[in-house]
Amino acid sequence: MTDFMDLILNRQSCRNFDKREVEKEKLLKLVEAFRLSPSACNAQPWKLILATGETAKIVRESVQKDGRNKFTDNCPAFAVLVEEQAVLKPAIAARFESQAFAQLDIGLATAHYCLMATDLGLSTCILGWMDEDRLKAALGIPEERRIRLVVATGYAAADDKLREKVRKPLSEMSEFRG
Amino acid sequence: MTDFMDLILNRQSCRNFDKREVEKEKLLKLVEAFRLSPSACNAQPWKLILATGETAKIVRESVQKDGRNKFTDNCPAFAVLVEEQAVLKPAIAARFESQAFAQLDIGLATAHYCLMATDLGLSTCILGWMDEDRLKAALGIPEERRIRLVVATGYAAADDKLREKVRKPLSEMSEFRG
């Protein structure tokens, strides 16, 4: 790639995957991109479970709860993002509760993951809809933890097209104040 | 740039800014990168206030509460990230409260902003510490809103060095399950 803005414009939520498996080296690079993300007090309050094969089947069932996300039938891999206990620096911990920044942190790392995927020619779809309790039980994640997101990961089908991004205009979502 | 992983490795929290102003075109590109980020139901539950000049002074005072973040004395610009009310799609709204994904969304968009900055030769520091009530009052942000983060934005000082990233090892923060 040549320009980061191109990467942003090429990343889109894919709902039309090819069944093709993702190479292990590429999956490793995705996890590495996630791992290197910044977080409040460098607490890294996350665990990433990369599900393929039989484990992907379990994740697929979970995100298809109530008949949703059927497009994941073809998706070969899923990143399951678990929020872990954050250990903040003493001065910060004295003012904020431990998980105050954890969702922001996981959001940051998820962007790293998805943009890395785009850079590797892969596609992703970030999913918040899942049967969380069942997925936690099936993956052996403690009940008190939260699974914040699941990121469907694979190659887009050959006929998947780049869509134009629909967003609020700059004038509505930002202000420049001198 | 040639590789997204290089961008990730070059982004770091800068605490050693130069006083040099950031060009308006670059600030616009940062906001554009933020604007194009994905969000749950495309709700875009955010407002970005780009503070320079006199407004930057107000933000600086706020993030320096209790003597912290003195390094921002030299930082010329700040993105103030406000969480806005999210409007989710009906099926999602029936199951989740409106702000369930807002912090994850703001985290994603913040990564877009910071990585775009790195791509433009700029440096950033993501700050969660601020006098939020005073900053809301000074900027005319409604009391019921939350300012989630402030991103210090500028050029790093010439003697600012790239540090090695200290992170949990891959084996600790991830699991591959087939």
Side-chain angles (χ1 to χ4, degrees):
Chain A
M1 57 160 291
T2 48
D3 185 272
F4 180 58
M5 190 57 88
D6 287 340
L7 202 57
I8 289 176
L9 291 168
N10 281 300
R11 185 222 53 83
Q12 67 182 9
S13 296
C14 177
R15 296 184 189 88
N16 184 14
F17 282 100
D18 193 276
K19 275 189 182 294
R20 180 177 162 200
E21 296 287 325
V22 180
E23 298 83 345
K24 184 69 188 283
E25 315 84 72
K26 288 196 176 182
L27 293 178
L28 276 164
K29 245 186 143 174
L30 297 180
V31 180
E32 182 67 1
F34 186 100
R35 188 180 77 92
L36 293 173
S37 186
S39 56
C41 299
N42 200 21
Q44 309 162 65
W46 50 53
K47 183 150 202 177
L48 188 163
I49 299 172
L50 209 309
T52 53
E54 289 301 310
T55 310
K57 272 191 202 169
I58 296 168
V59 178
R60 221 172 269 127
E61 270 175 37
S62 164
V63 298
Q64 293 191 6
K65 179 183 155 83
D66 299 334
R68 297 185 71 88
N69 299 322
K70 283 297 287 175
F71 71 89
T72 55
D73 276 346
N74 280 349
C75 181
F78 298 87
V80 178
L81 308 182
V82 183
E83 180 176 324
E84 296 286 329
Q85 196 69 27
V87 180
L88 303 178
K89 289 175 189 157
I92 311 292
R95 223 188 110 196
F96 298 94
E97 57 91 16
S98 72
Q99 303 310 103
F101 300 103
Q103 290 187 69
L104 293 158
D105 292 338
I106 290 173
L108 278 151
T110 302
H112 278 225
Y113 181 100
C114 293
L115 292 163
M116 186 79 243
T118 305
D119 197 41
L120 295 171
L122 296 167
S123 286
T124 52
C125 189
I126 306 170
L127 304 168
W129 184 278
M130 73 195 84
D131 189 337
E132 187 181 350
D133 289 339
R134 207 171 140 195
L135 188 54
K136 284 197 285 199
L139 297 180
I141 298 164
E143 262 180 64
E144 68 273 17
R145 291 273 178 278
R146 292 296 315 269
I147 300 177
R148 289 295 178 190
L149 296 169
V150 169
V151 188
T153 308
Y155 287 95
D159 63 348
D160 192 57
K161 288 198 182 68
L162 189 63
R163 307 181 299 272
E164 210 183 330
K165 293 204 184 307
V166 179
R167 296 288 188 273
K168 292 177 190 166
L170 207 84
S171 58
E172 194 179 319
M173 56 64 72
S174 69
E175 274 179 49
F176 286 75
R177 299 217 205 153
Chain B
M1 54 159 297
T2 48
D3 185 271
F4 181 57
M5 190 57 88
D6 287 341
L7 202 57
I8 288 176
L9 291 167
N10 280 301
R11 185 221 53 84
Q12 67 182 8
S13 296
C14 177
R15 296 184 189 86
N16 184 14
F17 283 99
D18 194 276
K19 276 189 182 293
R20 181 178 161 199
E21 295 288 326
V22 179
E23 299 83 344
K24 184 68 187 286
E25 315 84 75
K26 289 196 176 184
L27 293 178
L28 275 166
K29 244 185 144 177
L30 297 180
V31 180
E32 182 66 1
F34 187 99
R35 187 179 78 90
L36 294 173
S37 185
S39 56
C41 299
N42 200 21
Q44 308 163 65
W46 50 54
K47 183 151 203 178
L48 188 163
I49 299 171
L50 209 309
T52 54
E54 288 303 308
T55 310
K57 269 191 204 168
I58 296 169
V59 178
R60 220 172 270 127
E61 270 176 37
S62 165
V63 298
Q64 292 191 7
K65 179 183 156 84
D66 299 334
R68 298 185 71 87
N69 298 323
K70 282 298 285 175
F71 71 89
T72 56
D73 275 345
N74 281 349
C75 181
F78 298 88
V80 178
L81 307 182
V82 183
E83 180 177 323
E84 295 288 329
Q85 195 69 27
V87 179
L88 302 178
K89 291 177 189 157
I92 311 290
R95 224 187 109 196
F96 299 94
E97 58 90 18
S98 72
Q99 303 311 103
F101 300 103
Q103 290 186 69
L104 293 158
D105 292 338
I106 290 173
L108 279 152
T110 302
H112 278 225
Y113 181 101
C114 293
L115 291 163
M116 186 79 244
T118 304
D119 197 41
L120 295 171
L122 297 166
S123 286
T124 53
C125 189
I126 304 171
L127 304 168
W129 184 277
M130 73 195 84
D131 189 337
E132 187 181 348
D133 289 339
R134 208 173 140 194
L135 188 53
K136 284 197 284 198
L139 298 180
I141 298 165
E143 262 180 63
E144 67 274 18
R145 292 271 179 278
R146 293 295 314 271
I147 300 178
R148 289 295 177 190
L149 296 169
V150 169
V151 187
T153 307
Y155 287 94
D159 63 347
D160 192 57
K161 288 199 181 69
L162 189 63
R163 308 181 298 272
E164 210 182 331
K165 295 206 182 305
V166 179
R167 296 288 188 274
K168 292 176 190 167
L170 206 82
S171 58
E172 193 179 319
M173 56 64 72
S174 68
E175 274 179 51
F176 285 75
R177 298 217 205 153

